[in-house]
Amino acid sequence: MENIKLLFQIYYRPAFTFSEIMDKGSWIFAAIAVLLISFAFQYGVNSKIAQHYYVSPLDYYGYGKFEIPGIDENLPPAEDVSPDQQVAISNPPLDGRAAFPVVGKRIRWFYSFNSSFFSPLINLSLFYIPATIAILNIFGSLGNAGVVLRRDYGVFATCAFMAWCAAHLPFAIAALVLYSQPIDASLHLGFWITSGLIFGGFLVFAMRTVFGVEYGPAIATVATSWIFYSLGTYVSQFISPWLFSPFLLFFALIYLVGFLGSEVRGAGNSMKQNRNLKRFLQNATVNPNDADAHLQLGLIYKQRRQDEKALEHFQKAYDIDNEEIDTNYELGIVARKKGDLQKAIQHFCLVVEQNEKYSLSEIWREIGATYLEADMIEESRSALEKFVTKRPFDPEGLYYFGMLLKKNGETEDAAGKFYEAIEAVKTAAYYRRSELQKWARLAKKEL
């Protein structure tokens, strides 16, 4: 029942729900749900589209080396071909069926409406989800692709399956209700297109929750990774999906028990360990004096883009120990984002009193940026000069310093800092460039 509740909760609280799926969702439930909904969608939507549009290379009267009669004008009519040459393999016949919108018969390169009901599960598991993680790793700079895949495949697959189910379920039900009604096939085509777009939208929220990326990399990934779902669909037109069964066993193996010893953990083991960590932290919060448990839970929710839950635990940690350095730093960042600059400075000052080199001296960058937003130029200059001296190749700090100089009328020096910020991004480690690109773009706008 918990998983059914999570499935329907996706419609109105997607970001929060995917966080809950990470902690409580079942991969087995999600996979079975994909199979059931896929069966209904195939019967109610895809079959109707196949009846009214040219959507498959198998839907024609084929003979010899010729292509589809009635589409290729150079072909003789089917009735002029001798019976021993003609093989009828179309049901219903082509007469009266419309060309697929925009792409015409090329749709068979992108999608098969005659595939088996379990094809979506195979395409998602073997093609789409691994490719999506790899592409997101490029756009979002997540780290080593192999490590990310082993660590997050299980949890992301569960979220992706649930997103697919939520996107297709309403249209599958509607199509079944309307199955016997004489309605235009364009409605079923609309069901198919809309369900795919909704799936992409839900997947953006899933990526932000699982991987903690910004909207930009998530949207770019969704806009690109569909190609690999189409690749899986195209392959399944020529290879029976049952031949993929060894691969399904392989994925089940790495999900359930891991492989190659302790050095390479299974996706299921990684998912289980993450859940156990959070469960342990939640149990630890029973202790009224354990501020660190609330802090760590806050950091988990922050990474998942659950800002309200993160702030709730940061505040609880602060109430227990108002001098804890990490808690004050995080609360300072939250207060600055909300525009409460005075409160942000108070938290940052508590951090500096304990360790002025905190977080590789980034505390000074945060203080400088906060004073800059408050138009306290001298205070901001003092903090940012300290930071830039210690971290001369940090593009964010250079950008803030450039904005400070620009506000103070020092336009030439400001331009120099903006150029330095751009160069710092160009010379940064490859895996960090995507993450830092934001500051290069902002610096270019100021030049």
Side-chain angles (χ1 to χ4, degrees), residues 56-335:
S56 170
L58 297 180
D59 289 336
Y60 60 87
Y61 289 100
Y63 50 92
K65 63 180 181 179
F66 297 117
E67 294 188 1
I68 303 175
I71 296 179
D72 189 337
E73 297 300 329
N74 296 322
L75 295 175
E79 57 268 19
D80 292 345
V81 182
S82 61
D84 59 325
Q85 291 177 299
Q86 182 174 331
V87 180
I89 58 175
S90 177
N91 185 21
L94 291 175
D95 296 344
R97 296 205 295 173
F100 196 84
V102 183
V103 296
K105 64 180 180 179
R106 295 182 183 86
I107 184 62
R108 64 179 183 244
W109 290 85
F110 305 105
Y111 193 82
S112 173
F113 292 91
N114 293 328
S115 59
S116 302
F117 72 92
F118 46 82
S119 290
L121 180 61
I122 294 174
N123 293 340
L124 288 169
S125 300
L126 302 184
F127 293 92
Y128 186 74
I129 292 173
T132 298
I133 294 175
I135 294 171
L136 184 62
N137 189 58
I138 296 173
F139 289 127
S141 300
L142 304 178
N144 183 280
V147 173
V148 174
L149 182 63
R150 290 194 299 272
R151 183 190 67 205
D152 296 324
Y153 177 88
V155 66
F156 183 62
T158 306
C159 291
F161 289 167
M162 295 288 272
W164 191 94
C165 292
H168 290 79
L169 178 60
F171 301 101
I173 294 174
L176 291 177
V177 172
L178 299 172
Y179 189 81
S180 60
Q181 302 300 316
I183 58 177
D184 193 279
S186 60
L187 178 63
H188 294 94
L189 186 61
F191 286 172
W192 178 73
I193 294 173
T194 306
S195 62
L197 293 175
I198 293 175
F199 173 52
F202 284 154
L203 211 60
V204 168
F205 288 102
M207 290 180 197
R208 281 175 53 80
T209 303
V210 175
F211 301 103
V213 297
E214 299 285 349
Y215 278 112
I219 294 173
T221 300
V222 168
T224 307
S225 60
W226 65 269
I227 297 172
F228 291 89
Y229 189 93
S230 292
L231 176 63
T233 301
Y234 185 72
V235 169
S236 67
Q237 296 181 46
F238 304 97
I239 302 176
S240 171
W242 292 111
L243 296 180
F244 286 115
S245 56
F247 290 96
L248 292 180
L249 292 175
F250 171 75
F251 274 91
L253 176 65
I254 65 171
Y255 175 81
L256 295 173
V257 298
F259 61 100
L260 300 181
S262 60
E263 294 299 320
V264 184
R265 296 174 300 171
N269 287 347
S270 178
M271 186 175 178
K272 182 178 179 180
Q273 289 178 1
N274 290 333
R275 290 181 174 182
N276 287 343
L277 172 61
K278 187 178 178 186
R279 191 175 296 113
F280 169 79
L281 292 171
Q282 288 173 330
N283 292 337
T285 59
V286 175
N287 182 351
N289 298 316
D290 192 344
D292 188 61
H294 284 291
L295 171 63
Q296 297 304 322
L297 280 172
L299 292 173
I300 289 174
Y301 283 116
K302 179 183 177 182
Q303 195 274 336
R304 296 182 181 181
R305 305 282 176 175
Q306 304 294 298
D307 294 336
E308 292 184 5
K309 293 287 290 183
L311 177 58
E312 176 187 336
H313 285 284
F314 289 147
Q315 190 61 53
K316 287 180 179 179
Y318 180 80
D319 292 339
I320 295 171
D321 182 0
N322 59 13
E323 293 187 357
E324 210 287 325
I325 188 168
D326 295 318
T327 302
N328 277 285
Y329 181 73
E330 296 298 337
L331 285 173
I333 291 176
V334 171

